[in-house]
């Protein structure tokens, strides 16, 4: 039986969603973050040395990293579903977005979350003004403009087609969903980006997305990095 080692408030939620889209039988083994540090428990390192989520086990195979897991599941269980045909422009776009989501988009949003916390976390009074000044400067001079640039790019890309790889929903949309959900949770999306908001509305309406939430539990993306 394929097992998803599911950490609450983590990227593993989209692996549950993919499995629901593919109608693959699976079981969930749950892990809870430390409520103070938000780190994964040590027990997850018994599954994979880095102790990160998502991780799946499938027979003798243990596999981490969202992109690798998505490629494995689509390749082994998809039977041609959720992936464009090879040697097509849509397949090239599919591969690009599958890697873009974690390689380019998510690091900026993770840093945004980290520097937001630096501004608001308790700390010694003498360090507070320095830390907060650094955080505000990094956010205003680097992170803010970079995130805006990426969201502008994503908004423009969705003018070309309904989904990121083309007119058909694919696993690349599942991969890209996480940075967009995170951007929305961080208050970076609104009606000024109708294509991205429409994308979120469409994925939230998918029955498989809703089933994944029912099985995995609600999650707060602001705690997920």
């Amino acid at each position: 039986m394929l097992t998803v080692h599911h950490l609450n408030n983590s990227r593993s939620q989209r692996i549950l969603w993919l499995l629901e889209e593919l109608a693959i039988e699976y079981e969930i083994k749950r892990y809870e973050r430390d409520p103070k540090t938000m780190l994964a428990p040590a027990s997850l390192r018994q599954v994979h040395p880095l102790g990160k989520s998502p991780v799946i086990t499938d027979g003798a195979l243990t596999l981490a990293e969202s992109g690798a897991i998505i490629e494995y599941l689509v390749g082994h269980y998809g039977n041609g579903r959720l992936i464009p045909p090879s040697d097509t422009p849509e397949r090239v776009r599919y591969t690009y977005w599958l890697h873009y989501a974690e390689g380019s988009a998510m690091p900026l949003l993770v840093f945004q979350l980290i520097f937001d916390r630096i501004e608001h976390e308790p700390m010694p009074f003498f360090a507070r003004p320095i830390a907060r000044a650094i955080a505000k400067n990094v956010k205003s001079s680097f992170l803010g403009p970079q995130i805006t640039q990426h969201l502008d790019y994503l908004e423009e890309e969705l003018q070309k087609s309904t989904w990121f790889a083309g007119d058909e929903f694919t696993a690349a949309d599942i991969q890209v969903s996480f940075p967009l959900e995170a951007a929305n949770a961080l208050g970076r999306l609104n009606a000024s980006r109708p294509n991205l908001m429409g994308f979120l509305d469409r994925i939230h309406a998918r029955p498989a997305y809703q089933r994944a939430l029912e099985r995995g539990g609600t999650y707060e993306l602001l705690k997920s990095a």
Side-chain angles (χ1 to χ4, degrees), residues 21-181:
E21 292 280 358
L22 293 174
I24 301 171
E25 290 189 15
Y26 66 97
E27 62 181 13
I28 300 174
K29 186 171 182 181
R30 301 178 186 277
Y31 302 81
E32 295 292 323
R33 294 179 182 272
D34 183 292
K36 292 183 179 179
T37 67
M38 297 309 298
L39 296 176
S43 57
L44 197 50
R45 290 200 297 272
Q46 297 174 8
V47 183
H48 188 279
L50 295 180
K52 300 292 185 181
S53 186
V55 178
I56 65 167
T57 51
D58 191 13
L61 173 72
T62 299
L63 187 62
E65 293 294 338
S66 298
I69 293 171
I70 289 173
E71 290 198 66
Y72 171 77
L73 293 175
V74 171
H76 283 71
Y77 296 102
N79 296 317
R81 292 171 295 167
L82 300 185
I83 184 170
S86 58
D87 300 322
T88 63
E90 289 80 10
R91 182 63 165 268
V92 174
R93 288 177 60 80
Y94 170 90
T95 302
Y96 170 76
W97 292 113
L98 202 62
H99 292 275
Y100 165 88
E102 291 293 328
S104 295
M106 270 311 295
L108 293 169
L109 294 162
V110 170
F111 280 122
Q112 173 78 44
L113 175 59
I114 290 170
F115 281 99
D116 281 348
R117 287 180 175 171
I118 289 174
E119 280 194 273
H120 300 101
E121 285 291 308
M123 64 184 70
F125 74 92
F126 55 85
R128 188 179 303 123
I130 298 173
R132 289 180 176 174
I134 293 172
K136 287 181 180 179
N137 183 59
V138 171
K139 287 164 60 178
S140 63
S141 64
F142 175 71
L143 287 176
Q146 282 291 307
I147 292 172
T148 296
Q149 182 179 13
H150 279 263
L151 293 177
D152 287 345
Y153 169 59
L154 290 160
E155 176 73 14
E156 183 177 345
E157 287 296 304
L158 280 183
Q159 291 180 356
K160 301 176 182 178
S161 56
T162 303
W163 302 103
F164 279 99
D167 291 327
E168 299 293 329
F169 175 81
T170 71
D173 297 295
I174 295 175
Q175 180 78 323
V176 178
S177 71
F178 198 87
L180 291 180
E181 298 260 34

